Amino acid sequence: MVRFILASSMEDYNLYDKIISLDNLILAWRKARKHKTKKSYVIEFESDLLKNLQKLHEELKTQIYLPKPLVTFILCDPKTRKISKSDFRDRIVHHALVRILEPIFDRTFIYDSCANRIEKGNLFALKRFDLFSRRITKNNHRTAFCLKADIKHYFEEVNHEILLAIIIRKITDENVIWLIKKIINNPTKSFQGEQTITGMPLGNLTSQFFANIYLNELDYFVKHKLKARYYIRYVDDFIILYNSKEQLEIWKTEIGRFLEDKLNLELHPQKSKIISMSRGIDFVGFRNFWKHKLLRKRNIIKMDYKIEEYKKGKISKEKILESFQGWNAYAKWADSYNLRRRVVQKIYIQ
């Protein structure tokens, strides 16, 4: 017990200094610039790189650092999403913060929390689903059901006070909490100066990180309180597999109550339902059946939309090929050979 207490206190020792150190900021800058070296804002920052990093370090050290307001725009690809973009120097701070805090929190996350984690991701979630599916159905010899759930307006509804209370249980360094508050209360340009008590912007690295911290509370409730063995979460989508539809109904009610009481969230009423495994389960981009997978229609439409943008001259050939390579690597996990051939033809046939 003594050994644990000492390790915990040492972990929090000089945490802020580690985050804002020039060495850490340099590593964070390298991560922030990845795949963006030709962007004008990166080129501008790097025109006097050492001076800009030292200035950022001094602002953080003296705690006069103030993030620039987020720039918000609407992205249609083809689903409409509101993206909030941080200034490049602020993205360096985000990477610096996550580099130090992520290892501390990651070891508290359950194994089957799959999004935005090293060596995890949607394909990891897919493999876990396949494994759980085989186990719960005894290799398709037993009836099973899936609670497929989604949290309504998740990123818009994250409560800052609850988030900070969760973080403070692990991080006691007041300077780190000060920096986190600066990040989560950062306004958009259209609402400069206004501070909100809910919501995290889509597009920030820190939002993805804080999302896992926030819903780790749900993960522990489902795994340790409900003792649901076959549970997987990917951001705000999660599934539970079980043989009893009635038990899943009970768990769904208890999860809904927990989300409302503890996290100020609610299950999406239309997207949270119990489905027979034989119907195929829509999860991490695929419709998952026992012997095969189909690519979700939305992912096909998204690729078709990008091809149309390319045909109209709105995106370059380099960009469409880059998009296709990523999409193709993903689509290969489904029974999609003919579909992928058609997509190639659409790109190259004018």
Side-chain angles (χ1 to χ4, degrees), residues 51-63:
K51 179 182 175 182
N52 286 328
L53 286 174
Q54 286 177 331
K55 184 174 185 293
L56 188 57
H57 169 71
E58 285 300 319
E59 289 179 15
L60 289 163
K61 184 178 179 180
T62 56
Q63 294 192 326

Side-chain angles (χ1 to χ4, degrees), residues 117-128:
R117 296 179 65 194
I118 296 170
E119 297 183 357
K120 299 289 174 84
N122 48 16
L123 296 181
F124 174 86
L126 193 66
K127 290 178 182 178
R128 294 296 284 174

Side-chain angles (χ1 to χ4, degrees), residues 97 101 105 163-164 167 171 175-185 210:
L97 179 78
L101 295 192
F105 281 96
L163 173 63
L164 287 168
I167 292 172
I171 305 297
N175 294 324
V176 176
I177 302 304
W178 169 84
L179 180 57
I180 290 172
K181 286 180 179 178
K182 286 289 181 185
I183 292 170
I184 65 176
N185 289 326
F210 294 146

Side-chain angles (χ1 to χ4, degrees), residues 140-189:
N140 206 31
H141 287 95
R142 187 169 67 173
T143 300
F145 300 89
C146 175
L147 168 58
K148 171 75 171 67
D150 181 278
I151 296 172
K152 186 178 179 181
H153 301 152
Y154 175 52
F155 280 88
E156 297 172 25
E157 298 297 331
V158 169
N159 184 286
H160 293 181
E161 291 182 5
I162 295 173
L163 173 63
L164 287 168
I166 294 169
I167 292 172
I168 288 168
R169 294 206 304 257
K170 193 75 178 169
I171 305 297
T172 58
D173 188 324
E174 292 182 0
N175 294 324
V176 176
I177 302 304
W178 169 84
L179 180 57
I180 290 172
K181 286 180 179 178
K182 286 289 181 185
I183 292 170
I184 65 176
N185 289 326
N186 191 23
T188 62
K189 274 191 173 179

